[in-house]
Amino acid sequence: MPLLIGIALLLALLIKTFLVQAFSIPSDSMQDTLQRGDRVLVDKLTPWFGSEPERGEVVVFHDPGGWLEDAETPDPNVVQKFLSFIGLMPSAEEKDLIKRVIAVGGDTVECKKGGKVQVNGHPLNESGHIYPGNTACDDEPFGPIHVPQGRIWVMGDHRQNSLDSRYHQELPGRGTVSTDEVVGRAFVVAWPLNRWSLLPVPDTFDQPGLSTAASVASAAAPGAMGLAGAVPLVLWRRRRLTGGSTAG
């Protein structure tokens, strides 16, 4: 029996470390998608194979620095700490956040008061996931912001109750989060049972041209640099040929 218990605990620890981890939702910033007290399961496996966060995904990430400095950290007892360590209970001590990815590296994102969030010039239809009665960004308009490679721009679904990327633009990264800080994607609400549901990517993030615009913008920079370098060379060759012809 002790051996079986030991194997079970070891398996739980391995699953929590490399496969799936449970997290508890501590606030209302992701309503109505997630409610305070929900338990979500987070995929930690695919990042090991180089998977990067994608637009529309709900992700858990470590505090990039300064986002949760005023937040109170719970003080669990010894049993809670142990169960959390092996993955049988959601983490209570770690300062983690959960938000929706709006833009990824290479994207340009902005939102003007009274308007919609735009990614690479394409407006997002967010009526299916933002909190009823909320506006896209009227409480804190922003942008345009160019998201550097290896970083993401995140926002809560309860826009008027979420201290997300918009409110941390004075920090290093201008409100963006490094993908190295991302724990993984939340893919299912596992508890309570009457709240069980998957967390799919909203259709608006799959609209045609959204990714193409970012790819074109990224490719345009090297092309422009090449063109800038080629123009002087062409002019020099033309001047040389013209000079040779006149002298002859």
Side-chain angles (χ1 to χ4, degrees):
M1 184 63 69
L3 178 60
L4 292 176
I5 293 175
I7 293 175
L9 293 178
L10 178 60
L11 287 175
L13 178 60
L14 290 175
I15 290 173
K16 175 245 184 178
T17 303
F18 299 106
L19 298 178
V20 175
Q21 184 174 357
F23 285 86
S24 178
I25 307 303
S27 71
D28 300 325
S29 68
M30 281 296 293
Q31 286 182 318
D32 265 350
T33 304
L34 299 173
Q35 303 291 341
R36 186 190 295 261
D38 283 353
R39 265 64 167 177
V40 298
L41 297 184
V42 173
D43 168 23
K44 300 179 71 174
L45 177 63
T46 52
W48 284 91
F49 295 94
S51 175
E52 295 283 341
E54 297 184 2
R55 303 180 197 90
E57 293 181 346
V58 176
V59 297
V60 170
F61 56 96
H62 300 310
D63 182 1
W67 286 41
L68 293 175
E69 58 183 8
D70 297 326
E72 294 184 5
T73 303
D75 186 21
N77 57 42
V78 175
V79 176
Q80 290 173 323
K81 288 182 179 180
F82 176 72
L83 293 177
S84 176
F85 174 72
I86 62 175
L88 295 180
M89 182 176 177
S91 174
E93 291 184 292
E94 296 178 5
K95 287 193 172 184
D96 297 320
L97 301 97
I98 185 166
K99 305 289 180 189
R100 189 179 299 277
V101 179
I102 302 299
V104 297
D107 288 343
T108 297
V109 58
E110 64 179 316
C111 184
K112 305 303 181 185
K113 189 169 184 177
K116 297 181 177 181
V117 174
Q118 295 192 36
V119 178
N120 300 321
H122 293 260
L124 300 179
N125 179 10
E126 301 186 282
S127 59
H129 60 270
I130 66 171
Y131 188 74
N134 273 197
T135 59
C137 68
D138 283 5
D139 56 314
E140 189 70 20
F142 64 92
I145 299 290
H146 178 72
V147 182
Q149 293 294 337
R151 305 188 73 86
I152 54 176
W153 180 271
V154 297
M155 298 174 72
D157 287 355
H158 194 163
R159 292 293 160 79
Q160 273 68 71
N161 191 19
S162 176
L163 297 179
D164 45 43
S165 286
R166 297 170 293 164
Y167 289 90
H168 299 97
Q169 296 182 58
E170 78 286 355
L171 298 175
R174 294 189 63 195
T176 62
V177 178
S178 171
T179 54
D180 293 337
E181 300 289 349
V182 176
V183 177
R185 175 188 177 182
F187 64 95
V188 64
V189 179
W191 188 264
L193 292 179
N194 64 341
R195 291 266 308 144
W196 192 96
S197 61
L198 297 176
L199 296 172
V201 173
D203 291 341
T204 188
F205 292 95
D206 294 325
Q207 61 179 288
L210 198 64
S211 296
T212 304
S215 301
V216 170
S218 299
M225 292 177 64
L227 180 61
V231 169
L233 179 60
V234 171
L235 292 176
W236 175 79
R237 286 175 59 86
R238 180 177 296 177
R239 189 180 303 114
R240 185 176 180 184
L241 290 173
T242 304
S245 176
T246 304

